[in-house]
Amino acid sequence: AQSVAQPEDQVNVAEGNPLTVKCTYSVSGNPYLFWYVQYPNRGLQFLLKYITGDNLVKGSYGFEAEFNKSQTSFHLKKPSALVSDSALYFCAVRDINNFNKFYFGSGTKLNVKP
Amino acid sequence: EPEVTQTPSHQVTQMGQEVILRCVPISNHLYFYWYRQILGQKVEFLVSFYNNEISEKSEIFDDQFSVERPDGSNFTLKIRSTKLEDSAMYFCASSENDFYEQYFGPGTRLTVT
């Protein structure tokens, strides 16, 4: 079965510092991995995805994620955090047997302090 | 930029009542989905819909749930007889095809009393 885990409920970082939001996955076969962000009272917004190819994926708002097959991880990163990055971040994996199904992690609340 | 929209933003209903949650997917998208998020829990897949039929559903999506695309723009989720445990945020999503990312609406908060 496909699943993702986000080990941190919350990440705190100072503005201007680099940030990392962790995600590990468990899949049978090649993973199709995604990151979404949820701002208060808004739906999930797509940030980036890894399907195949380069392990470093660049996405919206300056975010990037690194796919690491040996560690089964897909951590979200940004070199310099902004206060406006404060939100809830979800990692997701697509079911390889049925592309229609996404499995989401439990979410990580990112707090960026000025 | 095109968006998925959902109405209402908040629905309060009594146990046993029927509710219909409405979504307008992005216009050129062909695949439609419903997810739910119980407060403090994960976002859970409910159902996917393509070519006017359900293509996949989860174990949560029992006989109390149904989906419909009544016209060319709306996509609805009906819960026939609501239970307290149906209280959650319900998200609609759409995608251009089954390989691309899904775009989510802002959600409908359903409260069953």
Side-chain angles (χ1 to χ4, degrees), chain A residues 39-61:
Chain A
Y39 296 101
N41 302 314
R42 300 286 301 274
L44 299 164
Q45 291 180 35
F46 169 74
L47 276 180
L48 50 79
K49 66 185 176 193
Y50 172 83
I51 304 295
T52 187
D54 203 349
N55 288 346
L56 186 64
V57 179
K58 293 191 186 299
S60 308
Y61 313 121

mmCIF file of all heavy atoms in Angstrom, chain A residues 39-61:
data_model
loop_
_atom_site.group_PDB
_atom_site.id
_atom_site.type_symbol
_atom_site.label_atom_id
_atom_site.label_comp_id
_atom_site.label_asym_id
_atom_site.label_seq_id
_atom_site.Cartn_x
_atom_site.Cartn_y
_atom_site.Cartn_z
ATOM 1 N N TYR A 39 -3.230 27.362 3.017
ATOM 2 C CA TYR A 39 -3.326 28.580 3.812
ATOM 3 C C TYR A 39 -4.661 28.577 4.531
ATOM 4 O O TYR A 39 -5.603 27.912 4.093
ATOM 5 C CB TYR A 39 -3.170 29.808 2.924
ATOM 6 C CG TYR A 39 -1.804 29.886 2.279
ATOM 7 C CD1 TYR A 39 -1.615 29.497 0.955
ATOM 8 C CD2 TYR A 39 -0.692 30.326 2.989
ATOM 9 C CE1 TYR A 39 -0.368 29.531 0.364
ATOM 10 C CE2 TYR A 39 0.559 30.366 2.414
ATOM 11 C CZ TYR A 39 0.715 29.964 1.099
ATOM 12 O OH TYR A 39 1.952 30.004 0.519
ATOM 13 N N PRO A 40 -4.792 29.326 5.634
ATOM 14 C CA PRO A 40 -6.052 29.332 6.391
ATOM 15 C C PRO A 40 -7.256 29.628 5.507
ATOM 16 O O PRO A 40 -7.227 30.540 4.679
ATOM 17 C CB PRO A 40 -5.822 30.436 7.421
ATOM 18 C CG PRO A 40 -4.343 30.485 7.607
ATOM 19 C CD PRO A 40 -3.755 30.167 6.257
ATOM 20 N N ASN A 41 -8.280 28.816 5.659
ATOM 21 C CA ASN A 41 -9.550 28.990 4.935
ATOM 22 C C ASN A 41 -9.395 28.874 3.425
ATOM 23 O O ASN A 41 -10.220 29.404 2.674
ATOM 24 C CB ASN A 41 -10.205 30.328 5.285
ATOM 25 C CG ASN A 41 -10.466 30.452 6.774
ATOM 26 O OD1 ASN A 41 -10.964 29.528 7.395
ATOM 27 N ND2 ASN A 41 -10.080 31.572 7.343
ATOM 28 N N ARG A 42 -8.352 28.229 2.993
ATOM 29 C CA ARG A 42 -8.164 28.018 1.550
ATOM 30 C C ARG A 42 -8.007 26.537 1.260
ATOM 31 O O ARG A 42 -7.725 25.727 2.138
ATOM 32 C CB ARG A 42 -6.886 28.752 1.082
ATOM 33 C CG ARG A 42 -6.883 30.264 1.305
ATOM 34 C CD ARG A 42 -7.780 30.984 0.328
ATOM 35 N NE ARG A 42 -7.425 30.765 -1.055
ATOM 36 C CZ ARG A 42 -6.516 31.481 -1.715
ATOM 37 N NH1 ARG A 42 -5.864 32.463 -1.115
ATOM 38 N NH2 ARG A 42 -6.259 31.227 -2.975
ATOM 39 N N GLY A 43 -8.179 26.178 0.005
ATOM 40 C CA GLY A 43 -7.957 24.791 -0.392
ATOM 41 C C GLY A 43 -6.474 24.489 -0.504
ATOM 42 O O GLY A 43 -5.624 25.339 -0.324
ATOM 43 N N LEU A 44 -6.179 23.245 -0.824
ATOM 44 C CA LEU A 44 -4.797 22.826 -1.012
ATOM 45 C C LEU A 44 -4.278 23.382 -2.336
ATOM 46 O O LEU A 44 -4.935 23.256 -3.363
ATOM 47 C CB LEU A 44 -4.724 21.306 -1.033
ATOM 48 C CG LEU A 44 -5.195 20.610 0.242
ATOM 49 C CD1 LEU A 44 -5.447 19.138 0.001
ATOM 50 C CD2 LEU A 44 -4.175 20.795 1.336
ATOM 51 N N GLN A 45 -3.095 23.962 -2.282
ATOM 52 C CA GLN A 45 -2.495 24.491 -3.504
ATOM 53 C C GLN A 45 -1.282 23.648 -3.881
ATOM 54 O O GLN A 45 -0.429 23.371 -3.039
ATOM 55 C CB GLN A 45 -2.034 25.932 -3.296
ATOM 56 C CG GLN A 45 -3.156 26.920 -3.128
ATOM 57 C CD GLN A 45 -2.625 28.325 -2.939
ATOM 58 O OE1 GLN A 45 -1.608 28.700 -3.525
ATOM 59 N NE2 GLN A 45 -3.293 29.111 -2.120
ATOM 60 N N PHE A 46 -1.215 23.276 -5.130
ATOM 61 C CA PHE A 46 -0.109 22.476 -5.630
ATOM 62 C C PHE A 46 1.188 23.289 -5.608
ATOM 63 O O PHE A 46 1.213 24.445 -6.033
ATOM 64 C CB PHE A 46 -0.435 22.032 -7.053
ATOM 65 C CG PHE A 46 0.705 21.417 -7.792
ATOM 66 C CD1 PHE A 46 1.129 20.135 -7.490
ATOM 67 C CD2 PHE A 46 1.359 22.118 -8.803
ATOM 68 C CE1 PHE A 46 2.184 19.563 -8.180
ATOM 69 C CE2 PHE A 46 2.398 21.546 -9.498
ATOM 70 C CZ PHE A 46 2.830 20.269 -9.191
ATOM 71 N N LEU A 47 2.266 22.668 -5.081
ATOM 72 C CA LEU A 47 3.573 23.331 -5.055
ATOM 73 C C LEU A 47 4.521 22.717 -6.081
ATOM 74 O O LEU A 47 5.161 23.433 -6.850
ATOM 75 C CB LEU A 47 4.213 23.188 -3.670
ATOM 76 C CG LEU A 47 3.833 24.178 -2.590
ATOM 77 C CD1 LEU A 47 4.578 23.844 -1.307
ATOM 78 C CD2 LEU A 47 4.110 25.610 -3.017
ATOM 79 N N LEU A 48 4.649 21.399 -6.044
ATOM 80 C CA LEU A 48 5.585 20.735 -6.943
ATOM 81 C C LEU A 48 5.342 19.232 -6.926
ATOM 82 O O LEU A 48 4.615 18.732 -6.078
ATOM 83 C CB LEU A 48 7.037 21.051 -6.552
ATOM 84 C CG LEU A 48 7.448 20.861 -5.085
ATOM 85 C CD1 LEU A 48 7.704 19.404 -4.735
ATOM 86 C CD2 LEU A 48 8.693 21.683 -4.773
ATOM 87 N N LYS A 49 5.969 18.564 -7.899
ATOM 88 C CA LYS A 49 5.807 17.112 -7.983
ATOM 89 C C LYS A 49 7.088 16.468 -8.480
ATOM 90 O O LYS A 49 7.908 17.102 -9.171
ATOM 91 C CB LYS A 49 4.663 16.757 -8.934
ATOM 92 C CG LYS A 49 4.939 17.133 -10.386
ATOM 93 C CD LYS A 49 3.734 16.866 -11.275
ATOM 94 C CE LYS A 49 4.028 17.342 -12.691
ATOM 95 N NZ LYS A 49 2.828 17.396 -13.533
ATOM 96 N N TYR A 50 7.261 15.213 -8.115
ATOM 97 C CA TYR A 50 8.315 14.381 -8.675
ATOM 98 C C TYR A 50 7.660 13.187 -9.345
ATOM 99 O O TYR A 50 6.918 12.434 -8.702
ATOM 100 C CB TYR A 50 9.283 13.890 -7.588
ATOM 101 C CG TYR A 50 10.265 12.884 -8.137
ATOM 102 C CD1 TYR A 50 11.410 13.303 -8.801
ATOM 103 C CD2 TYR A 50 10.019 11.509 -8.033
ATOM 104 C CE1 TYR A 50 12.287 12.383 -9.339
ATOM 105 C CE2 TYR A 50 10.892 10.589 -8.577
ATOM 106 C CZ TYR A 50 12.020 11.031 -9.226
ATOM 107 O OH TYR A 50 12.900 10.114 -9.785
ATOM 108 N N ILE A 51 7.970 13.036 -10.630
ATOM 109 C CA ILE A 51 7.467 11.872 -11.365
ATOM 110 C C ILE A 51 8.663 11.005 -11.770
ATOM 111 O O ILE A 51 8.714 9.816 -11.501
ATOM 112 C CB ILE A 51 6.673 12.293 -12.613
ATOM 113 C CG1 ILE A 51 5.524 13.248 -12.234
ATOM 114 C CG2 ILE A 51 6.143 11.079 -13.364
ATOM 115 C CD1 ILE A 51 4.462 12.628 -11.368
ATOM 116 N N THR A 52 9.614 11.640 -12.417
ATOM 117 C CA THR A 52 10.822 10.953 -12.849
ATOM 118 C C THR A 52 11.854 12.017 -13.183
ATOM 119 O O THR A 52 11.542 13.198 -13.218
ATOM 120 C CB THR A 52 10.524 10.066 -14.072
ATOM 121 O OG1 THR A 52 11.682 9.285 -14.377
ATOM 122 C CG2 THR A 52 10.160 10.895 -15.294
ATOM 123 N N GLY A 53 13.116 11.594 -13.406
ATOM 124 C CA GLY A 53 14.115 12.566 -13.840
ATOM 125 C C GLY A 53 14.944 13.115 -12.694
ATOM 126 O O GLY A 53 15.257 12.407 -11.728
ATOM 127 N N ASP A 54 15.261 14.380 -12.782
ATOM 128 C CA ASP A 54 16.144 15.043 -11.823
ATOM 129 C C ASP A 54 15.608 14.918 -10.405
ATOM 130 O O ASP A 54 14.419 15.167 -10.162
ATOM 131 C CB ASP A 54 16.251 16.527 -12.207
ATOM 132 C CG ASP A 54 17.508 17.163 -11.670
ATOM 133 O OD1 ASP A 54 18.189 16.532 -10.838
ATOM 134 O OD2 ASP A 54 17.809 18.287 -12.097
ATOM 135 N N ASN A 55 16.493 14.560 -9.477
ATOM 136 C CA ASN A 55 16.054 14.354 -8.097
ATOM 137 C C ASN A 55 15.675 15.655 -7.406
ATOM 138 O O ASN A 55 14.943 15.635 -6.418
ATOM 139 C CB ASN A 55 17.153 13.650 -7.286
ATOM 140 C CG ASN A 55 17.300 12.203 -7.684
ATOM 141 O OD1 ASN A 55 16.426 11.645 -8.361
ATOM 142 N ND2 ASN A 55 18.387 11.590 -7.299
ATOM 143 N N LEU A 56 16.189 16.781 -7.874
ATOM 144 C CA LEU A 56 15.846 18.071 -7.285
ATOM 145 C C LEU A 56 14.759 18.708 -8.141
ATOM 146 O O LEU A 56 14.969 19.019 -9.311
ATOM 147 C CB LEU A 56 17.081 18.970 -7.210
ATOM 148 C CG LEU A 56 16.875 20.294 -6.471
ATOM 149 C CD1 LEU A 56 16.539 20.055 -5.003
ATOM 150 C CD2 LEU A 56 18.111 21.177 -6.596
ATOM 151 N N VAL A 57 13.623 18.891 -7.521
ATOM 152 C CA VAL A 57 12.459 19.416 -8.238
ATOM 153 C C VAL A 57 12.196 20.836 -7.758
ATOM 154 O O VAL A 57 12.139 21.080 -6.551
ATOM 155 C CB VAL A 57 11.219 18.549 -7.957
ATOM 156 C CG1 VAL A 57 10.012 19.102 -8.677
ATOM 157 C CG2 VAL A 57 11.477 17.112 -8.355
ATOM 158 N N LYS A 58 12.014 21.753 -8.669
ATOM 159 C CA LYS A 58 11.709 23.146 -8.301
ATOM 160 C C LYS A 58 10.224 23.401 -8.508
ATOM 161 O O LYS A 58 9.625 22.914 -9.471
ATOM 162 C CB LYS A 58 12.541 24.102 -9.130
ATOM 163 C CG LYS A 58 14.032 24.004 -8.801
ATOM 164 C CD LYS A 58 14.827 25.120 -9.425
ATOM 165 C CE LYS A 58 16.315 24.941 -9.207
ATOM 166 N NZ LYS A 58 16.690 24.938 -7.784
ATOM 167 N N GLY A 59 9.654 24.179 -7.584
ATOM 168 C CA GLY A 59 8.221 24.437 -7.669
ATOM 169 C C GLY A 59 7.891 25.903 -7.485
ATOM 170 O O GLY A 59 8.717 26.785 -7.689
ATOM 171 N N SER A 60 6.660 26.132 -7.038
ATOM 172 C CA SER A 60 6.154 27.495 -6.875
ATOM 173 C C SER A 60 6.764 28.161 -5.647
ATOM 174 O O SER A 60 7.192 27.490 -4.705
ATOM 175 C CB SER A 60 4.630 27.470 -6.727
ATOM 176 O OG SER A 60 4.022 26.750 -7.756
ATOM 177 N N TYR A 61 6.750 29.521 -5.664
ATOM 178 C CA TYR A 61 7.132 30.350 -4.516
ATOM 179 C C TYR A 61 8.550 30.085 -4.015
ATOM 180 O O TYR A 61 8.832 30.281 -2.833
ATOM 181 C CB TYR A 61 6.132 30.179 -3.365
ATOM 182 C CG TYR A 61 4.680 30.259 -3.792
ATOM 183 C CD1 TYR A 61 3.799 29.203 -3.574
ATOM 184 C CD2 TYR A 61 4.185 31.386 -4.444
ATOM 185 C CE1 TYR A 61 2.489 29.263 -3.970
ATOM 186 C CE2 TYR A 61 2.866 31.448 -4.845
ATOM 187 C CZ TYR A 61 2.025 30.389 -4.604
ATOM 188 O OH TYR A 61 0.707 30.458 -5.005
#
